[in-house]
Amino acid sequence: QIPHAKLSLNLRKIIKRIASPFLKVFSKRYLSKKRNYIYQNIEVDVMPGVFHPGLFLSTKILLDYISELDLQDETFVEVGAGSGIISILAAKKGAKVTALEINKVAIENIRTNAKNNDVAIDILHSDLFQSLEPMHAFDYLIVNPPYYPKKAKNEEEQAWFCGENFEYFELFFSTLGQHFHPKSQCLMILSEDCDLERIQSIAAQFGFKFDVVLEKKVMAEMNYIFRIY
């Protein structure tokens, strides 16, 4: 017999596979124009080619979690900042924020949104941590990673695909330790739809483990915020 949880996951994957062509057409059309998203007192524009924080579950879950943290005077880095809304929230809570992003369109998007929300953010064009000085450590490291195993064809697709052999996670965990100090907190959000065992196995190769700090089911999909240590 298939356990109920596994059956539910398999059924959802089948439904996603059926619905995917229609969702892709809708999202491509919707995201072909500049859009707008509001969270609490933060309003951001989302340019075409930039991950939209309102259309997908993960960003809102992270925003809600981070909104409860005491970030005054903490150093905070967001890896793959997209529209910049998480970095802006952290800056409004008093953190000293660095936003890393590989997508050049997103970098300009973050810069505009930070200015419009009257916050200072250090914005770097970077493939993961590569633009940071080695051993530049942070109090908080936040990442909403791509996790579908496929090679990205362009910068926009790098928000979704982690490489055919999970190369994104290989690079992430091989360099993460350079930006840790003894009290650092690294928070990563992942869905039950991804290959959690594979990702955790890669992390373990570099000495990292996962603790679940939040589980949240939205629209029948379980999402996890992990603390990586």
Side-chain angles (χ1 to χ4, degrees):
Q1 283 188 327
I2 301 174
H4 176 73
K6 187 174 182 180
L7 178 61
S8 175
L9 177 58
N10 289 340
L11 180 60
R12 190 172 64 256
K13 285 183 176 180
I14 292 170
I15 293 171
K16 279 190 172 183
R17 192 177 301 119
I18 295 170
S20 179
F22 302 99
L23 294 174
K24 284 180 179 178
V25 170
F26 166 77
S27 62
K28 187 174 182 178
R29 288 180 179 174
Y30 181 80
L31 298 175
S32 65
K33 299 178 181 179
K34 182 175 74 171
R35 297 296 178 178
N36 173 272
Y37 181 69
I38 298 173
Y39 178 82
Q40 295 183 359
N41 63 336
I42 301 170
E43 183 172 354
V44 297
D45 291 329
V46 185
M47 302 304 295
V50 176
F51 186 89
H52 193 297
L55 291 186
F56 310 101
L57 309 174
S58 53
T59 304
K60 175 64 163 52
I61 295 170
L62 267 177
L63 285 166
D64 289 343
Y65 187 85
I66 291 168
S67 69
E68 300 297 320
L69 298 177
D70 181 6
L71 297 177
Q72 186 64 45
D73 297 325
E74 301 281 356
T75 55
F76 182 105
V77 62
E78 182 183 6
V79 182
S83 67
I85 192 167
I86 288 175
S87 290
I88 291 168
L89 173 64
K92 282 185 172 290
K93 291 178 65 65
K96 301 170 184 176
V97 179
T98 300
L100 307 178
E101 178 57 63
I102 195 170
N103 185 334
K104 297 182 182 68
V105 175
I107 288 172
E108 292 305 314
N109 204 168
I110 299 166
R111 186 170 287 115
T112 299
N113 286 332
K115 182 179 179 181
N116 291 343
N117 285 277
D118 196 28
V119 294
I121 295 174
D122 188 15
I123 305 164
L124 299 178
H125 179 240
S126 184
D127 186 358
L128 296 175
F129 300 109
Q130 288 184 352
S131 293
L132 293 176
E133 292 292 330
M135 309 316 295
H136 182 171
F138 295 86
D139 300 316
Y140 285 88
L141 304 96
I142 309 298
V143 58
N144 182 4
Y147 53 68
Y148 294 110
K150 179 180 174 181
K151 184 177 180 180
K153 296 177 182 177
N154 51 48
E155 289 184 345
E156 181 179 350
E157 287 194 354
Q158 287 180 309
W160 297 97
F161 302 125
C162 63
E164 293 176 351
N165 295 300
F166 291 76
E167 290 89 347
Y168 174 98
F169 292 98
E170 291 276 355
L171 181 57
F172 181 86
F173 288 111
S174 68
T175 54
L176 177 60
Q178 299 176 16
H179 308 290
F180 253 59
H181 61 64
K183 295 185 178 180
S184 291
Q185 293 199 53
C186 179
L187 301 174
M188 176 183 287
I189 187 164
L190 293 168
S191 160
E192 65 180 335
D193 281 351
C194 72
D195 191 340
L196 290 170
E197 289 186 5
R198 177 73 178 272
I199 294 168
Q200 290 178 337
S201 174
I202 293 170
Q205 294 174 24
F206 298 97
F208 291 102
K209 297 182 180 180
F210 286 50
D211 271 347
V212 177
V213 296
L214 179 75
E215 297 182 21
K216 186 164 186 177
K217 180 173 282 189
V218 183
M219 298 176 61
E221 179 179 342
M222 186 65 77
N223 294 267
Y224 307 93
I225 297 180
F226 293 99
R227 179 180 67 88
I228 298 169
Y229 64 96

mmCIF file of all heavy atoms in Angstrom, residues 76-81 84 87 97-101 107 110 121-126:
data_model
loop_
_atom_site.group_PDB
_atom_site.id
_atom_site.type_symbol
_atom_site.label_atom_id
_atom_site.label_comp_id
_atom_site.label_asym_id
_atom_site.label_seq_id
_atom_site.Cartn_x
_atom_site.Cartn_y
_atom_site.Cartn_z
ATOM 1 N N PHE A 76 22.621 40.788 7.457
ATOM 2 C CA PHE A 76 21.599 39.959 6.806
ATOM 3 C C PHE A 76 21.913 39.889 5.322
ATOM 4 O O PHE A 76 22.101 40.916 4.668
ATOM 5 C CB PHE A 76 20.241 40.635 7.038
ATOM 6 C CG PHE A 76 19.034 39.921 6.486
ATOM 7 C CD1 PHE A 76 18.169 39.248 7.339
ATOM 8 C CD2 PHE A 76 18.717 39.977 5.134
ATOM 9 C CE1 PHE A 76 17.022 38.631 6.849
ATOM 10 C CE2 PHE A 76 17.581 39.357 4.632
ATOM 11 C CZ PHE A 76 16.727 38.682 5.493
ATOM 12 N N VAL A 77 22.000 38.683 4.779
ATOM 13 C CA VAL A 77 22.220 38.536 3.341
ATOM 14 C C VAL A 77 21.127 37.661 2.756
ATOM 15 O O VAL A 77 20.768 36.623 3.312
ATOM 16 C CB VAL A 77 23.619 37.949 3.017
ATOM 17 C CG1 VAL A 77 23.796 36.548 3.579
ATOM 18 C CG2 VAL A 77 23.879 37.977 1.518
ATOM 19 N N GLU A 78 20.557 38.120 1.638
ATOM 20 C CA GLU A 78 19.582 37.325 0.903
ATOM 21 C C GLU A 78 20.230 36.854 -0.383
ATOM 22 O O GLU A 78 20.709 37.662 -1.185
ATOM 23 C CB GLU A 78 18.323 38.135 0.596
ATOM 24 C CG GLU A 78 17.277 37.296 -0.118
ATOM 25 C CD GLU A 78 16.024 38.068 -0.506
ATOM 26 O OE1 GLU A 78 16.001 39.297 -0.333
ATOM 27 O OE2 GLU A 78 15.095 37.431 -1.006
ATOM 28 N N VAL A 79 20.232 35.545 -0.588
ATOM 29 C CA VAL A 79 20.838 34.947 -1.774
ATOM 30 C C VAL A 79 19.753 34.731 -2.819
ATOM 31 O O VAL A 79 18.821 33.960 -2.607
ATOM 32 C CB VAL A 79 21.514 33.604 -1.421
ATOM 33 C CG1 VAL A 79 22.188 33.027 -2.648
ATOM 34 C CG2 VAL A 79 22.507 33.782 -0.279
ATOM 35 N N GLY A 80 19.860 35.431 -3.950
ATOM 36 C CA GLY A 80 18.816 35.364 -4.967
ATOM 37 C C GLY A 80 17.630 36.213 -4.552
ATOM 38 O O GLY A 80 16.542 35.701 -4.279
ATOM 39 N N ALA A 81 17.818 37.530 -4.524
ATOM 40 C CA ALA A 81 16.852 38.424 -3.886
ATOM 41 C C ALA A 81 15.641 38.765 -4.747
ATOM 42 O O ALA A 81 14.663 39.316 -4.234
ATOM 43 C CB ALA A 81 17.557 39.724 -3.452
ATOM 44 N N GLY A 84 13.509 41.890 -4.325
ATOM 45 C CA GLY A 84 14.107 42.543 -3.168
ATOM 46 C C GLY A 84 13.187 42.705 -1.977
ATOM 47 O O GLY A 84 13.579 43.286 -0.965
ATOM 48 N N SER A 87 14.622 41.458 1.401
ATOM 49 C CA SER A 87 15.714 42.339 1.842
ATOM 50 C C SER A 87 15.170 43.675 2.346
ATOM 51 O O SER A 87 15.673 44.228 3.333
ATOM 52 C CB SER A 87 16.690 42.573 0.685
ATOM 53 O OG SER A 87 17.421 41.403 0.394
ATOM 54 N N VAL A 97 21.720 45.093 5.409
ATOM 55 C CA VAL A 97 21.313 44.099 4.419
ATOM 56 C C VAL A 97 22.192 44.109 3.176
ATOM 57 O O VAL A 97 22.524 45.171 2.638
ATOM 58 C CB VAL A 97 19.842 44.334 4.003
ATOM 59 C CG1 VAL A 97 19.418 43.314 2.947
ATOM 60 C CG2 VAL A 97 18.928 44.246 5.226
ATOM 61 N N THR A 98 22.526 42.903 2.732
ATOM 62 C CA THR A 98 23.161 42.678 1.435
ATOM 63 C C THR A 98 22.248 41.789 0.609
ATOM 64 O O THR A 98 21.790 40.749 1.085
ATOM 65 C CB THR A 98 24.529 41.990 1.591
ATOM 66 O OG1 THR A 98 25.388 42.813 2.378
ATOM 67 C CG2 THR A 98 25.179 41.747 0.237
ATOM 68 N N ALA A 99 21.952 42.203 -0.629
ATOM 69 C CA ALA A 99 21.132 41.415 -1.546
ATOM 70 C C ALA A 99 22.004 40.914 -2.682
ATOM 71 O O ALA A 99 22.650 41.711 -3.373
ATOM 72 C CB ALA A 99 19.976 42.255 -2.082
ATOM 73 N N LEU A 100 22.044 39.603 -2.878
ATOM 74 C CA LEU A 100 22.820 38.985 -3.952
ATOM 75 C C LEU A 100 21.868 38.494 -5.035
ATOM 76 O O LEU A 100 20.858 37.857 -4.731
ATOM 77 C CB LEU A 100 23.634 37.804 -3.415
ATOM 78 C CG LEU A 100 24.534 38.073 -2.210
ATOM 79 C CD1 LEU A 100 25.234 36.782 -1.792
ATOM 80 C CD2 LEU A 100 25.545 39.162 -2.517
ATOM 81 N N GLU A 101 22.189 38.772 -6.284
ATOM 82 C CA GLU A 101 21.300 38.374 -7.381
ATOM 83 C C GLU A 101 22.104 38.214 -8.659
ATOM 84 O O GLU A 101 22.959 39.047 -8.971
ATOM 85 C CB GLU A 101 20.195 39.425 -7.555
ATOM 86 C CG GLU A 101 19.231 39.163 -8.681
ATOM 87 C CD GLU A 101 18.546 37.817 -8.571
ATOM 88 O OE1 GLU A 101 17.795 37.587 -7.593
ATOM 89 O OE2 GLU A 101 18.767 36.984 -9.477
ATOM 90 N N ILE A 107 18.476 43.001 -10.422
ATOM 91 C CA ILE A 107 19.331 43.939 -9.688
ATOM 92 C C ILE A 107 18.789 45.356 -9.804
ATOM 93 O O ILE A 107 18.673 46.091 -8.804
ATOM 94 C CB ILE A 107 20.779 43.859 -10.197
ATOM 95 C CG1 ILE A 107 21.416 42.549 -9.745
ATOM 96 C CG2 ILE A 107 21.607 45.048 -9.696
ATOM 97 C CD1 ILE A 107 22.766 42.293 -10.347
ATOM 98 N N ILE A 110 15.600 45.570 -7.746
ATOM 99 C CA ILE A 110 15.867 45.734 -6.308
ATOM 100 C C ILE A 110 16.259 47.170 -5.993
ATOM 101 O O ILE A 110 15.788 47.767 -5.019
ATOM 102 C CB ILE A 110 16.972 44.771 -5.840
ATOM 103 C CG1 ILE A 110 16.558 43.321 -6.063
ATOM 104 C CG2 ILE A 110 17.306 44.999 -4.363
ATOM 105 C CD1 ILE A 110 17.713 42.331 -5.952
ATOM 106 N N ILE A 121 20.269 49.259 0.930
ATOM 107 C CA ILE A 121 20.641 47.862 0.754
ATOM 108 C C ILE A 121 21.888 47.807 -0.119
ATOM 109 O O ILE A 121 21.973 48.501 -1.131
ATOM 110 C CB ILE A 121 19.506 47.058 0.077
ATOM 111 C CG1 ILE A 121 18.268 47.004 0.988
ATOM 112 C CG2 ILE A 121 19.961 45.647 -0.264
ATOM 113 C CD1 ILE A 121 17.067 46.344 0.332
ATOM 114 N N ASP A 122 22.853 46.989 0.275
ATOM 115 C CA ASP A 122 24.035 46.741 -0.553
ATOM 116 C C ASP A 122 23.664 45.670 -1.571
ATOM 117 O O ASP A 122 23.412 44.521 -1.204
ATOM 118 C CB ASP A 122 25.192 46.291 0.339
ATOM 119 C CG ASP A 122 26.512 46.195 -0.416
ATOM 120 O OD1 ASP A 122 26.589 46.742 -1.540
ATOM 121 O OD2 ASP A 122 27.452 45.588 0.116
ATOM 122 N N ILE A 123 23.606 46.033 -2.842
ATOM 123 C CA ILE A 123 23.132 45.131 -3.895
ATOM 124 C C ILE A 123 24.310 44.707 -4.763
ATOM 125 O O ILE A 123 25.012 45.548 -5.316
ATOM 126 C CB ILE A 123 22.061 45.825 -4.760
ATOM 127 C CG1 ILE A 123 20.925 46.348 -3.882
ATOM 128 C CG2 ILE A 123 21.528 44.872 -5.823
ATOM 129 C CD1 ILE A 123 20.031 47.357 -4.581
ATOM 130 N N LEU A 124 24.509 43.376 -4.881
ATOM 131 C CA LEU A 124 25.645 42.858 -5.632
ATOM 132 C C LEU A 124 25.190 41.898 -6.721
ATOM 133 O O LEU A 124 24.350 41.021 -6.480
ATOM 134 C CB LEU A 124 26.616 42.117 -4.697
ATOM 135 C CG LEU A 124 27.253 42.915 -3.560
ATOM 136 C CD1 LEU A 124 28.131 41.996 -2.719
ATOM 137 C CD2 LEU A 124 28.061 44.081 -4.102
ATOM 138 N N HIS A 125 25.762 42.061 -7.911
ATOM 139 C CA HIS A 125 25.560 41.072 -8.971
ATOM 140 C C HIS A 125 26.441 39.876 -8.631
ATOM 141 O O HIS A 125 27.670 39.978 -8.610
ATOM 142 C CB HIS A 125 25.945 41.663 -10.324
ATOM 143 C CG HIS A 125 25.774 40.702 -11.450
ATOM 144 N ND1 HIS A 125 26.816 40.300 -12.257
ATOM 145 C CD2 HIS A 125 24.673 40.040 -11.907
ATOM 146 C CE1 HIS A 125 26.363 39.446 -13.158
ATOM 147 N NE2 HIS A 125 25.082 39.269 -12.980
ATOM 148 N N SER A 126 25.820 38.738 -8.352
ATOM 149 C CA SER A 126 26.599 37.625 -7.812
ATOM 150 C C SER A 126 25.931 36.296 -8.111
ATOM 151 O O SER A 126 24.716 36.146 -7.980
ATOM 152 C CB SER A 126 26.736 37.786 -6.288
ATOM 153 O OG SER A 126 27.561 36.788 -5.739
#
